[in-house]
Amino acid sequence: MSEKILMKGNEAIGEAAVVAGCRHYFGYPITPQSELIEYMAKRLPQVDGVFLQAESEVAAINMVYGAASAGCRVMTSSSSPGISLKQEGISYIAGSQLPCVIVNVQRGGPGLGSIQPGQADYFQATKGGGHGDYRNIVLAPNSVQEMADITIEAFDLADKWRNAVMILGDGALGQMMEPVEFKESSSKPVEKSWAATGRRGRAKPNIVNSLYLQPDLMEKHNHVLQEKYAKIQAEETRWEALNTEDAEVIVVAYGITSRIAMTAINKARANGVKVGLFRPISLWPFPSQPLAELAKTAKAFVVFEMSAGQMVEDVRLAVNGAKPVSFHGRTGGMLPTPKELYEKIISVANGEGGK
Amino acid sequence: MAERTFGRPEALLDVPTHYCPGCHHGIIHRLVAEVIDELKVIDRTIGVASVGCSALAYDYFNVDMVQAPHGRAPAVATGVKRVHPDGVVFTYQGDGDIAAIGTAEIVHAAARGERITTIFVNNAIYGMTGGQMAPTSLVNQVTTTSPYGRKQDSAGMPIRLSEMLATLDGAKYLARVAVNNPANMAKAKAAIKKAFEIQIAGLGFSMVEVLSTCPTNWGMSAIESGTWMEKNMMPYYPLGTFRSGEEVAK
Amino acid sequence: MNQEMIFAGFGGQGVMLMGQILAYAGMMEGQQVSWFPAYGPEMRGGTANCSVIIGDEAVGTPIVTEPQVVVAMNLPSLDKFEPHLAAGGILLINSSLIERPAKRSDVKALLVPCNDIAKELGNPKVANMVMVGAIVAASGVVKIESVLQVLAKKIFKNKPEVMQLNEQAIRRGMACIS
């Protein structure tokens, strides 16, 4: 397929997974990601894949755990409350070092929350979420095309690092339609000599496990994980910087919020304000280094999120007090308007936002 | 020449287990391993260990194993089986794992007719965590979380999982067995073999519930616990076949 | 320059599809496009609306807050979105179902009796297509040929027998705009 088609973000993730060679999907319906599970239900049988609607998000992530243990490319998706339910399985996946792709089409929270777009699961996605010391690679697209491209890349990264990759979208990206083009995946299947496939002539059994009853061995395993995470931080950090070279004000935003911010930034630029956008694409590993570099040239930072202020903490750690970092957020499923972001940019540019 | 008539099954590794003296896990492991050998499926068997005393089953079986979160073994096994439909996939779960925290997973795996086999070891107590009340603990049974005995008016009656699953069409073979004497062991092995055969034939879900002792947490000797099981467990958990597999044989 | 539009009506009037047809037509012409639905329980029988952006610039926010074109298929939609229309913008009113005139005098209000024309054509379902024709004629955001291509190749790919009626409806809608 190279023709452009108009697709919802949720559907684009589904098609991209198929392009990436994913033939197993386990999920449970929840708004606003249901188009994705519906897409997989329709699409996977056409490519001799396995679609299974689980009895719960808990069961779905454990089916993912089983399928990943068995050595295949596998995906699940949900939205905020459902992702909370998956955290137990995600921790086991981290402990057992299993590759898989998990999609969170975020909505407003906490609790049952709202069904409109949110970004309040940033902490949960990037700081662990489940129990134990672990990290998921977290990628945040901001267009339907990027949702497709990132999904394909996510499967490669998962296999490369034997790690869960979470695609952190939101209801707006999931529901909106934009043109999308699916390029062939260039990735080659990765040999998974560790997988539980049945011995099939192998002398010794393969065991997929996260249990270490001896604490010294558990610590040793943790060291292995931390070494891996350090390498991922060194190699897989992704971001986009637009108009930041001469910018006095740097807006930091990801996902749909970065799109709204771009509209506000363009208007501010047109009015002579030197403002640029720094957009983290990998939320973990977080692009701290390039932000620290920008702190040398910019005068102030302002973070826009659909949360009460989560990513802003990572921005402040990166900027490390060198320049003021202010924040503007909306919560509960409310999207900020370009107008309110524009006004915030202007106030920061005028030196009023340095709190 | 003397003929060797008894030895360790190939599907069982030559390592000492951590199970307590008088516990039935060792016997049940052996029966499962013998069945794997006899069916010649060691090369395509994938076991799923659960959480409980048998969490370390992956150290004992000579087949590929996945260790599952508490109660989730049927979901994990579903994932494994859907990737390897030609594999022989079994879960090995205790009563706390399967009949409390994992109730949804076992019910729905059975309802889907998932082509997996579950070995369900019922000893009416939480063994690994130190003898707490299980969903299968008997009325008036004293445990560390029912120090005055299980009370029906607050904890309800123990769950008979095999009978419950027998209402589901996807469950093709369901039997309750015991391994407290040689005759019962022979019947238990036959049931386990039948359960695996049902799976291999692609007919649907199969489960064998094996009654077991827990001398340590019951606070008894091995012999006393055998008697206690016969007198108290067997009347409430009658041995028998609840779905014979014959329904699907035609 | 991008055209920002809002399509609104009650659930079942086909307003989401109207937006998608326009976005698809824009994409076929090589324009930058986006379609964004207001989603939620209110979509079932309540008011439904979607934002569509078409133009030659990369789309920033896909959510339209100050539209240049508002399409109101029923009265609640007109009440809700008329105040947001940019000065000089186009206000398309389904006059079959909306009796009041536009309140704004700084916009170009156009009346399209969508349901009456659809009834004349023998199928009330094509009321939204009448409006699609009117939008194309009034805004020029996409070419009519592109719209017809979208219908033939995407929307009614498996139902070619309904193409003629839908094209008729579109042309009648265009004719409403002089």
Side-chain angles (χ1 to χ4, degrees), chain A residues 1-5 145 148-149 152 178-183:
Chain A
M1 234 185 289
S2 60
E3 188 197 352
K4 271 194 179 177
I5 47 178
Q145 181 65 58
D149 297 343
I152 293 171
E178 283 184 322
V180 57
E181 200 174 345
F182 294 95
K183 295 145 205 144

Side-chain angles (χ1 to χ4, degrees), chain A residues 9 12-17 19-20 139 141-157 167 179-185 238 281:
Chain A
I13 290 177
E15 183 58 30
V19 171
L139 303 175
N142 82 340
S143 68
V144 174
Q145 181 65 58
E146 202 171 70
M147 286 173 106
D149 297 343
I150 272 181
T151 299
I152 293 171
E153 192 185 4
F155 281 97
D156 291 340
L157 287 174
I167 298 171
V180 57
E181 200 174 345
F182 294 95
K183 295 145 205 144
E184 295 264 318
S185 168
R238 286 152 173 69
I281 297 172

Side-chain angles (χ1 to χ4, degrees), chain C residues 3 89 140 170:
Chain C
Q3 286 251 36
I170 287 172

Side-chain angles (χ1 to χ4, degrees), chain C:
Chain C
M1 180 65 189
N2 285 354
Q3 286 251 36
E4 305 198 353
M5 303 179 272
I6 284 181
F7 300 74
F10 57 77
Q13 280 187 308
V15 292
M16 297 301 194
L17 184 65
M18 288 162 70
Q20 286 177 15
I21 290 169
L22 271 285
Y24 231 119
M27 185 187 82
M28 280 187 164
E29 293 176 0
Q31 306 203 61
Q32 307 280 339
V33 304
S34 70
W35 174 91
F36 181 82
Y39 63 93
E42 75 276 14
M43 277 172 64
R44 304 283 179 266
T47 61
N49 72 80
C50 62
S51 298
V52 172
I53 301 176
I54 302 175
D56 54 7
E57 293 166 21
V59 177
T61 175
I63 302 114
V64 173
T65 45
E66 291 171 76
Q68 289 124 17
V69 177
V70 164
V71 177
M73 292 298 282
N74 64 354
L75 182 61
S77 301
L78 181 64
D79 290 342
K80 186 171 178 183
F81 292 108
E82 184 181 5
H84 298 291
L85 185 58
I90 299 169
L91 181 59
L92 286 148
I93 296 172
N94 177 11
S95 56
S96 299
L97 300 184
I98 303 171
E99 285 172 4
R100 79 160 172 84
K103 289 178 182 165
R104 302 259 303 261
S105 55
D106 60 340
V107 300
K108 190 175 166 190
L110 300 163
L111 304 183
V112 187
C114 300
N115 297 69
D116 297 309
I117 292 173
K119 252 179 247 165
E120 279 173 36
L121 292 171
N123 190 336
K125 278 202 227 162
V126 297
N128 61 338
M129 292 298 172
V130 175
M131 188 56 101
V132 166
I135 298 161
V136 172
S139 69
V141 65
V142 294
K143 296 187 189 74
I144 185 64
E145 293 76 19
S146 314
V147 170
L148 294 174
Q149 212 185 344
V150 169
L151 294 187
K153 289 193 173 170
K154 301 283 173 193
I155 313 293
F156 301 124
K157 197 176 156 192
N158 301 317
K159 281 195 275 181
E161 67 278 7
V162 303
M163 260 310 285
Q164 201 194 346
L165 173 66
N166 280 279
E167 184 173 346
Q168 263 185 319
I170 287 172
R171 298 218 179 266
R172 287 288 303 272
M174 293 178 76
C176 293
I177 311 298
S178 46

